[in-house]
Amino acid sequence: MNPQSLPMPPAPRTFWRISPEWRQFWLGEAADWLFVFKTVLAAFIALWLAYRLEMQSPRTAVVTVFIVMQARTGMVVAKGFYRALGTLVGSGVSLLLVAAFAQDRGLFLAGLALWVGFLTAGATLYRNFQSYAFVLAGYTACIVGLPAALDPAHAFDIATTRLSEVMLGIGVASVVSGLVFPLSSRSLLLAAARQRFDSLMSATGRVIGFGIPRTEWGSLHLKAINDIMQLDSYRSFGLFEDQKTRAQNETVQQMSAELIAAASTLNLLNQHLLRVNRSAMNPVRDTLDPLLAIGVRILTAEPPAAPADRLELLAQWQQEITRQIPLISQTMTDQLNAKQRLALDATFLLLQQFLQELMRYGRHFLALQSAEHAALIEQPPSPRRPLAERQFWHKTDWLQPLIAALRTIIVLSIMSWFWVSTAWPKGEMALIIAVAISALFSTVPNPAKAAQQMGLGVALSIALAFGFGFMILPHLYGFLGLAVGLAPFLMLGAYLMTQPKWTGLGAGFGIFFSTLAIPGNQLQLFNYVGLVNNAITLLLAISLLIVAFFTLMPAGNRLSRHRMLHALDKQLLVACQHPLKGLRRSFERDTRELLRQVVGIPGLKAAHNTAALSRALTVQALGRIVIELRKLTQPVASVTLSEPQWLLISPNIKVTPKTRRRMPYWRAPALQGQPAPTQPGLLRDLPEYVAQWISAMAQLYQRPSRHYRLAARQALHQAEQYFPHDPEAADEPHNRQIQIYLYLAQNLMTRLPGQTPPSAPTKAAPADEPYEVPPDAARNSVL
Amino acid sequence: MPREIPFFDALIPMVLLILLVSAVLYFVLARLVEAVDLAQYVWHPALFRFAIFVVLFSSLSLWWYP
């Protein structure tokens, strides 16, 4: 990406003004060292303040600094905010627990387990730092609650101490990150938006040129999903950063929504054009080519024009298309057969819709890039989406949070049982650490691996803490000496955190080295035994955790894999059955989110991945078509929806998905008779045929089988057959649209579930396509 | 002036309350600064805002604990 062409707002008013080349350096390597420097600086300030304020364990403040510190100011403040929130809630609950169950350790531990499990489940339902707040509220209850329960008379003091130490760490980290060479996440946001714009443009150019093959489209699609999620994260960090980003919050959300809409239409368009490329459609292709060539020229020009100019050109092209369509249709009527005419009309319909959505997206994009374009949004009133449609929820299958919660509860129970039955003096610490890490890692895609890295970090920190504690610390005098002695170790931790490969190790090292090595406020003797005890405890806790993550429903286990894929399929039921209002947005968004999670499941083979991807693309395209058809045939659709048994349209299928769902599957009656054939003439109206097809699709996706697949195909066939009988009705624009969407659906009927896919997914995806979370997101998700 | 005030039998230091009050004041002031776009003339906006907060907090605390 060329940073010079970024239409930057007046110039970032940071106090170092640098040329773009330097900027690149600053954002790369220098940013890492800056991060190291800032982290260590913040750690020392926090440590000094904690000593000065005579806090009980100054190390908590340093640990907090290590946890909260991130590359960008907005991220630090966001994480700090949610950490403060979580700590506050957790401390409150721990006090409640102590007040209620101080006498009975069994009840107390049970209550703690429930609370932690509940919040771990909650954490998997959210994204980014919101999820972190949940986790934190859970395990802070542990950190504060356990010592408090052991010493109920001082419970309140323990809670306030913990709270003030954490707050001190957060405050110092935020201030240092905001004041010392601040790096704003706004530039990241702008760059990400720009990159997405460019790739959408080039993808569009290729689609209308030749079409993008399905496999390649899959990987492009995934990348787009990740980019959009990334964009949304940057937006949420920016909220904590500066006023400008806050003011544009809505613009970014709108932009993402419009982008998704445009991308989904592009998907349909791509599939359609691939079909048009076949030889039977040659006349159509010939007719379209001159018109499409204009667009290709605009979109693939080298070097690319500025976004504003490109959008201007595209707008002209859009007008041109609108002007040409009637002319082309008129001249071509006689030369094309019915199928070809349908294909031509379908292209026009999709193209026009796509361009409309693209222009809407473009306007928001420009408004984001510079304030002078902001007025553009107002020009044609593009409706503001309600909040619910703009937000990204972390949509997932309900089983996943449950698994996470159960695992944490089991870890907590094992640890407590061990503690209670052996009266291990360090049991409390082991319990705290096990629960904290188990909760933390339940939200990362591959917890076992993360825990392993953490374990390495713990081992390293133990070794170095020994070295520091007994070889270096005795020679140090005063705070300055301590700082000088600590600096290399803290720098090592911070540096490891900047390397995406070692993030977990770095975080583990930073946290546990600080815990083990930093002396408390009261003078402590150099305590070999204590350190060895702590080290053993840490190692035991972390090994138990690693074992738990590998054995108790490990990530990517069969059940959750199956459930996730099923959840993806179920999205089609959502498209068929949910109320139409705002359905398209939520459908597109949730399907994308689910797909991202499915692909992120560790241990999924490349072939499975490709299969899942192809399945998701089918669901997305079909769902979109179903929604459009439901909109077009709304009166019928809404009537049938308001009734409980909305599938009664088809007289032969009496079992509705709803009634079936209530029965165990082995008792659910099979369908009567042959696959949903209806006598022609029984259904008089086109919408009813369409509704019949939709209901057949819903049934198919509810219980994929050959039987339902045939039924769905037949229903579609019947709906399509409706048209030739009635040529006048077919030319009416409304009906024509229905016909076009049915035609598009026809294209996808070979990819329905319940059959072995036509091309078995043996052709593995190219090995060089790691579906990884981008590094920045990875850094945020750890701890 | 009291250094701590009881709140449900828990003694809360006044500094904490002062901190909260100055935080509220700070947010109001920061909004004002944003509204008039004062940041345009400021070399380091974050430092500027931090300084506002420090001034608010210290003057309130010095007034309470002379």
Side-chain angles (χ1 to χ4, degrees):
Chain A
M1 194 195 61
N2 182 3
Q4 269 156 327
S5 60
L6 272 178
M8 273 300 188
R13 265 185 320 277
T14 37
F15 58 88
W16 78 96
R17 288 165 199 263
I18 44 171
S19 62
E21 302 88 61
W22 277 100
R23 193 184 177 78
Q24 214 50 24
F25 171 73
W26 271 114
L27 294 182
E29 213 162 302
D32 286 352
W33 286 105
L34 190 62
F35 173 78
V36 171
F37 167 67
K38 279 159 82 168
T39 308
V40 174
L41 180 69
F44 285 145
I45 295 178
L47 188 61
W48 185 79
L49 279 173
Y51 280 131
R52 190 76 184 73
L53 297 174
E54 296 179 6
M55 289 183 170
Q56 220 157 41
S57 58
R59 52 184 82 98
T60 310
V62 179
V63 169
T64 298
V65 167
F66 263 93
I67 291 176
V68 173
M69 213 54 180
Q70 308 271 329
R72 306 279 162 158
T73 309
M75 299 177 192
V76 179
V77 181
K79 196 167 185 185
F81 173 76
Y82 285 113
R83 185 171 169 87
L85 212 66
T87 308
L88 208 62
V89 173
S91 311
V93 168
S94 72
L95 286 184
L96 273 183
L97 279 173
V98 172
F101 304 125
Q103 295 85 1
D104 189 317
R105 63 186 176 198
L107 279 179
F108 178 82
L109 287 172
L112 201 60
L114 274 184
W115 171 249
V116 175
F118 172 65
L119 285 189
T120 312
T124 50
L125 292 176
Y126 281 80
R127 290 162 44 74
N128 285 338
F129 297 142
Q130 272 119 328
S131 121
Y132 178 69
F134 269 84
V135 167
L136 211 81
Y139 80 74
T140 304
C142 232
I143 295 181
V144 174
L146 285 173
L150 294 176
D151 184 9
H154 293 117
F156 189 74
D157 291 338
I158 293 172
T160 44
T161 314
R162 164 88 193 168
L163 201 58
S164 37
E165 283 160 0
V166 169
M167 294 295 183
L168 176 69
I170 292 171
V172 171
S174 309
V175 167
V176 167
S177 138
L179 294 189
V180 185
F181 299 109
L183 282 180
S184 107
S185 54
R186 190 182 156 75
S187 58
L188 280 183
L189 175 72
L190 290 183
R194 176 64 198 259
Q195 201 185 354
R196 191 85 298 274
F197 179 81
D198 284 341
S199 32
L200 180 69
M201 286 295 156
S202 75
T204 310
R206 290 184 53 200
V207 166
I208 58 178
F210 307 101
I212 298 178
R214 206 177 151 85
T215 41
E216 198 190 337
W217 179 269
S219 62
L220 285 179
H221 185 61
L222 261 186
K223 196 170 164 307
I225 295 177
N226 274 332
D227 281 1
I228 293 174
M229 298 290 166
Q230 187 79 0
L231 208 64
D232 198 61
S233 318
Y234 291 148
R235 176 195 61 78
S236 65
F237 306 145
L239 280 185
F240 288 88
E241 207 160 70
D242 62 355
Q243 164 222 5
K244 216 174 200 167
T245 320
R246 255 197 305 276
Q248 285 184 332
N249 182 31
E250 204 168 294
T251 311
V252 182
Q253 283 182 328
Q254 293 272 18
M255 185 184 73
S256 306
E258 303 292 356
L259 173 59
I260 287 179
S264 112
T265 312
L266 190 64
N267 181 17
L268 281 186
L269 186 62
N270 184 35
Q271 293 189 354
H272 175 63
L273 283 178
L274 283 179
R275 204 175 173 195
V276 170
N277 280 347
R278 292 179 199 159
S279 59
M281 291 289 173
N282 267 346
V284 180
R285 194 78 227 190
D286 291 344
T287 317
L288 286 170
D289 269 344
L291 201 54
L292 293 184
I294 306 175
V296 175
R297 231 173 293 137
I298 297 170
L299 291 164
T300 55
E302 274 304 328
D309 298 339
R310 244 191 293 181
L311 284 168
E312 185 59 37
L313 287 172
L314 282 176
Q316 285 168 12
W317 184 44
Q318 190 185 12
Q319 283 169 2
E320 175 73 12
I321 291 176
T322 322
R323 203 171 57 80
Q324 292 261 355
I325 285 177
L327 300 178
I328 294 182
S329 319
Q330 243 166 24
T331 48
M332 297 312 286
T333 324
D334 308 328
Q335 299 172 32
L336 300 178
N337 61 28
K339 263 239 152 96
Q340 289 166 340
R341 257 179 32 224
L342 193 58
L344 189 67
D345 283 356
T347 318
F348 286 146
L349 177 77
L350 289 176
L351 200 60
Q352 275 187 309
Q353 193 177 6
F354 170 68
L355 280 175
Q356 261 173 23
E357 283 160 351
L358 186 70
M359 296 316 289
R360 236 182 286 152
Y361 157 66
R363 260 177 242 123
H364 284 105
F365 172 73
L366 288 181
L368 175 71
Q369 295 285 331
S370 75
E372 74 215 55
H373 291 299
L376 276 173
I377 305 182
E378 312 305 333
Q379 278 177 0
S382 64
R384 274 181 55 182
R385 309 276 164 202
L387 192 65
E389 290 180 33
R390 283 189 269 123
Q391 267 176 342
F392 284 85
W393 287 97
H394 192 72
K395 163 102 182 166
T396 187
D397 176 49
W398 57 266
L399 195 70
Q400 311 306 318
L402 210 66
I403 290 177
L406 269 180
R407 194 190 297 122
T408 309
I409 289 178
I410 291 176
V411 166
L412 197 149
S413 319
I414 293 178
M415 259 307 171
S416 335
W417 169 79
F418 186 67
W419 178 28
V420 170
S421 53
T422 57
W424 183 21
K426 282 280 167 188
E428 166 208 352
M429 181 180 172
L431 187 54
I432 289 172
I433 297 217
V435 170
I437 297 178
S438 154
L440 271 176
F441 285 159
S442 61
T443 56
V444 306
N446 193 349
K449 207 174 141 209
Q452 265 177 318
Q453 271 218 0
M454 192 87 171
L456 272 183
V458 169
L460 186 65
S461 66
I462 289 171
L464 291 187
F466 260 100
F468 175 76
F470 302 112
M471 284 145 80
I472 301 176
L473 194 57
H475 303 288
L476 302 177
Y477 298 94
F479 181 77
L480 203 62
L482 181 67
V484 171
L486 274 177
F489 298 98
L490 298 189
M491 280 174 76
L492 174 69
Y495 182 74
L496 285 175
M497 277 164 81
T498 63
Q499 305 302 311
K501 230 173 108 186
W502 302 114
T503 317
L505 201 157
F509 177 75
I511 291 165
F512 291 109
F513 179 80
S514 312
T515 313
L516 291 173
I518 293 180
N521 219 349
Q522 283 84 29
L523 188 66
Q524 285 169 324
L525 298 171
F526 296 99
N527 184 353
Y528 279 99
V529 183
L531 193 56
V532 172
N533 270 339
N534 282 345
I536 291 175
T537 313
L538 276 181
L539 284 177
L540 243 167
I542 199 106
S543 357
L544 174 77
L545 259 179
I546 293 176
V547 171
F549 274 129
F550 269 116
T551 52
L552 299 174
M553 295 305 257
N557 62 66
R558 258 194 164 172
L559 177 65
S560 59
R561 208 158 63 199
H562 175 78
R563 297 275 329 174
M564 290 302 291
L565 282 173
H566 191 58
L568 201 56
D569 277 352
K570 270 209 175 137
Q571 282 298 111
L572 195 82
L573 288 181
V574 170
C576 290
Q577 295 175 339
H578 280 210
L580 269 176
K581 197 168 177 306
L583 179 58
R584 189 177 153 205
R585 305 276 157 167
S586 59
F587 168 76
E588 301 281 358
R589 186 192 52 207
D590 292 348
T591 315
R592 280 171 167 71
E593 174 66 43
L594 280 171
L595 174 61
R596 198 179 64 95
Q597 287 173 46
V598 168
V599 172
I601 294 175
L604 210 59
K605 288 188 200 104
H608 284 141
N609 243 335
T610 327
L613 202 55
S614 151
R615 218 158 132 179
L617 284 175
T618 308
V619 168
Q620 250 167 27
L622 271 177
R624 172 74 198 285
I625 292 170
V626 165
I627 292 172
E628 295 289 347
L629 281 174
R630 277 181 61 195
K631 271 187 201 155
L632 286 169
T633 59
Q634 197 145 27
V636 171
S638 46
V639 165
T640 49
L641 263 174
S642 62
E643 289 177 28
Q645 295 202 329
W646 67 278
L647 285 175
L648 40 76
I649 308 148
S650 158
N652 280 6
I653 303 176
K654 296 210 179 59
V655 189
T656 68
K658 255 191 181 152
T659 51
R660 285 183 79 93
R661 216 175 308 151
R662 287 194 210 105
M663 303 177 208
Y665 70 91
W666 59 89
R667 285 183 51 201
L671 290 184
Q672 297 89 359
Q674 65 275 68
T678 23
Q679 302 86 323
L682 193 74
L683 306 175
R684 291 180 316 277
D685 221 2
L686 176 62
E688 291 181 11
Y689 280 110
V690 172
Q692 192 194 353
W693 175 64
I694 292 176
S695 72
M697 289 303 291
Q699 270 172 331
L700 172 64
Y701 270 85
Q702 182 79 16
R703 285 168 61 97
S705 74
R706 188 167 167 276
H707 182 83
Y708 288 118
R709 200 179 70 240
L710 289 177
R713 278 191 175 176
Q714 193 158 1
L716 181 66
H717 188 65
Q718 276 177 359
E720 280 188 325
Q721 287 302 310
Y722 174 86
F723 288 99
H725 295 314
D726 196 354
E728 294 147 46
D731 280 344
E732 201 248 319
H734 183 80
N735 284 351
R736 188 66 173 171
Q737 284 188 17
I738 295 180
Q739 201 182 358
I740 287 173
Y741 279 110
L742 288 174
Y743 164 80
L744 290 174
Q746 180 76 55
N747 196 9
L748 293 160
M749 294 309 264
T750 49
R751 299 182 193 279
L752 293 182
Q755 62 192 350
T756 43
S759 60
T762 41
K763 207 183 85 196
D768 57 346
E769 282 177 46
Y771 298 122
E772 272 179 5
V773 196
D776 243 314
R779 194 185 296 172
N780 300 331
S781 61
V782 173
L783 289 174
Chain B
M1 298 197 201
R3 298 175 77 86
E4 286 173 329
I5 56 166
F7 176 78
F8 289 116
D9 287 349
L11 290 180
I12 294 188
M14 273 314 288
V15 190
L16 188 62
L17 293 189
I18 291 175
L19 187 81
L20 289 181
V21 169
S22 44
V24 170
L25 283 179
Y26 161 76
F27 278 114
V28 171
L29 261 181
R31 273 292 135 86
L32 270 179
V33 168
E34 279 177 12
V36 296
D37 206 8
L38 203 61
Q40 220 173 337
Y41 309 101
V42 174
W43 165 64
H44 189 322
L47 185 62
F48 178 66
R49 287 203 300 259
F50 183 61
I52 292 182
F53 179 77
V54 169
V55 167
L56 275 176
F57 179 57
S58 4
S59 43
L60 278 179
S61 340
L62 285 175
W63 165 69
W64 195 265
Y65 302 108

